[in-house]
Amino acid sequence: GLLKGDIGVVEGVHSPVITIANKGLIWHKVVVTGKAAHSSRPHLGLNAFRGAVRAASSLFDLEEELAKRRTEMEVSDDAHSHITMNIGGVCDGGTKPNTICDRFSFTVDTRVIPEMCLSEIDKLIRERVYKALTGTHYGYNIELIQKVKTAVGLSNDRMKELVGMAFSDVVGIKPRFVLAPFFSDMRYLVSAGIPTIGIGCESGLIHGDDEWVSLEGLTEMSSVMVNIARHISKSC
């Protein structure tokens, strides 16, 4: 392939940790259909929003159950140790305030630990929505928007030792090697057979209008990357 190298470095969690794996993800869009009618005669229609609420409620129950499944990998925050779901990240439906909603949709973003496969999550989501809407007059469809497998970028103990020394030389702290709760370009390098880590600097308000990163931290992480290259080149 076009990608070759002794190690890859991508975005990661703020130090003093080094990301050596990313959670997987699977995105769904649940579309519930009903029947439009004038809101003064709701008995002539079928409110798709109400059906969507039933489906979403069943998935919130599933979310609580999946949160009990925890990874054996080390994490930087206990909140990252289990499967998470974002239900309703994007919602859409209805046409006018005086019309019974005949179509309503919502998305489901599930972040998956390495110990669980994406196909199992897909099956569970479909089963829960099916049970929630069985026996009703609602129609529904579940679209698979995207799926990304868990990526484990670094498992070699010797490489961890070299990276750890390079990091501590600059930062002055021995790093922890952790699973990140997000997914990144690590998956592309891993698929090419390149050991990969993620490092990051202090930041805040991620994905918000006022997202920021520390300039001092960027400088420090640049020095870490240079030192990693130095340590690995000496060992080759």
Side-chain angles (χ1 to χ4, degrees):
L2 297 176
L3 291 176
K4 294 181 180 179
D6 297 310
I7 192 168
V9 180
V10 298
E11 69 271 31
V13 182
H14 176 226
S15 65
V17 300
I18 292 177
T19 299
I20 57 171
N22 291 169
K23 279 185 176 180
L25 72 79
I26 185 166
W27 289 356
H28 293 88
K29 181 179 181 181
V30 180
V31 182
V32 179
T33 55
K35 181 181 179 182
H38 195 277
S39 59
S40 65
R41 298 179 176 86
H43 61 286
L44 298 179
L46 182 63
N47 193 328
F49 175 68
R50 178 171 289 182
V53 169
R54 290 174 64 104
S57 179
S58 71
L59 294 179
F60 281 120
D61 290 339
L62 176 61
E63 178 185 25
E64 292 183 3
E65 295 171 24
L66 291 178
K68 298 175 183 178
R69 303 197 185 190
R70 295 180 175 268
T71 182
E72 294 182 357
M73 295 190 70
E74 186 172 0
V75 292
S76 60
D77 187 313
D78 186 63
H80 303 163
S81 66
H82 56 80
I83 297 171
T84 60
M85 299 179 75
N86 176 30
I87 302 164
V90 178
C91 298
D92 182 61
T95 55
K96 294 185 293 184
N98 64 344
T99 302
I100 300 300
C101 176
D102 65 346
R103 180 185 181 280
F104 195 90
S105 67
F106 62 91
T107 58
V108 184
D109 174 356
T110 309
R111 303 300 171 112
V112 186
I113 58 177
E115 292 84 352
M116 195 165 187
C117 62
L118 299 180
S119 60
E120 186 176 356
I121 295 293
D122 181 64
K123 180 181 178 182
L124 287 171
I125 287 176
R126 293 178 186 278
E127 287 178 347
R128 293 306 174 93
V129 174
Y130 171 78
K131 290 180 180 179
L133 298 180
T134 293
T136 71
H137 295 289
Y138 297 108
Y140 77 91
N141 182 49
I142 301 177
E143 302 173 16
L144 177 60
I145 302 174
Q146 183 180 19
K147 61 178 180 179
V148 177
K149 292 182 179 180
T150 300
V152 178
L154 190 63
S155 57
N156 183 283
D157 289 338
R158 175 55 179 162
M159 189 67 80
K160 284 183 182 179
E161 181 183 3
L162 291 171
V163 169
M165 288 190 297
F167 185 94
S168 59
D169 285 349
V170 175
V171 181
I173 302 173
K174 184 178 180 180
R176 295 160 55 208
F177 294 94
V178 304
L179 166 71
F182 49 78
F183 77 104
S184 69
D185 290 342
M186 176 181 287
R187 65 192 190 279
Y188 298 122
L189 301 182
V190 169
S191 66
I194 300 173
T196 306
I197 62 169
I199 59 176
C201 62
E202 185 180 5
S203 61
L205 303 176
I206 305 300
H207 292 327
D209 293 337
D210 298 317
E211 181 175 355
W212 60 271
V213 296
S214 163
L215 294 179
E216 181 180 351
L218 282 175
T219 301
E220 183 178 62
M221 288 303 104
S222 297
S223 298
V224 168
M225 286 191 285
V226 171
N227 210 31
I228 288 173
R230 182 181 295 116
H231 275 69
I232 291 178
S233 63
K234 287 181 179 179
S235 69
C236 294

